[in-house]
Amino acid sequence: MHAFDVLGDPVRRRILELLAGGEQSSGDVTTVVRAEFGISQPAVSQHLRVLRENGFTTVRAEGTRRLYSVDPGPLKEIDGWLEQYRRFWTGPLDALATEIARGRRERRKAAEDDG
């Protein structure tokens, strides 16, 4: 399965978002995903399996619990592929940052002049 096929599913993206905060048990992930998406526990397990089998997560056993964490390898590959397109948003984002900084300076100066 291609990385974008894996990440094209909103449930799997949400699972990765949850795991980006640190290792979590499958039960904790399932609780959140079931509440947010209204899917069954077996469906969440299937999404976890797809992520694991495609290298996006790792799992380790701790007693009867299964603890999942993000494996950054495939995400680095996606980042490398996106590099060729980064120029389309880097310049506009830099320009936006400049305008935000300019606006802050102007507000600060106006506040000093009023004070």
Side-chain angles (χ1 to χ4, degrees):
M1 188 176 283
H2 189 275
F4 287 110
D5 294 327
V6 174
L7 296 180
D9 187 281
V11 173
R12 290 193 285 265
R13 286 194 310 270
R14 179 62 176 132
I15 291 170
L16 282 178
E17 289 171 1
L18 292 169
L19 297 177
E23 185 178 64
Q24 291 194 37
S25 71
S26 59
D28 290 343
V29 170
T30 298
T31 298
V32 172
V33 172
R34 288 187 71 195
E36 292 181 6
F37 291 91
I39 63 176
S40 67
Q41 181 275 327
V44 177
S45 293
Q46 179 69 19
H47 285 293
L48 284 167
R49 185 172 68 80
V50 169
L51 289 167
R52 185 183 70 249
E53 288 179 353
N54 286 280
F56 284 88
T57 63
T58 60
V59 64
R60 69 179 181 89
E62 187 177 87
T64 59
R65 295 173 34 164
R66 298 293 173 257
L67 299 170
Y68 283 82
S69 59
V70 172
D71 185 333
L75 297 173
K76 289 178 183 176
E77 290 176 22
I78 292 169
D79 185 56
W81 184 83
L82 286 171
E83 184 62 37
Q84 63 186 323
Y85 302 102
R86 203 161 270 122
R87 63 185 168 91
F88 292 112
W89 63 80
T90 300
L93 287 177
D94 290 345
L96 176 61
T98 299
E99 290 303 315
I100 290 171
R102 181 177 294 132
R104 286 181 182 150
R105 280 192 308 272
E106 290 172 0
R107 283 191 302 278
R108 203 170 30 244
K109 184 176 180 338
E112 289 170 2
D113 291 345
D114 289 340

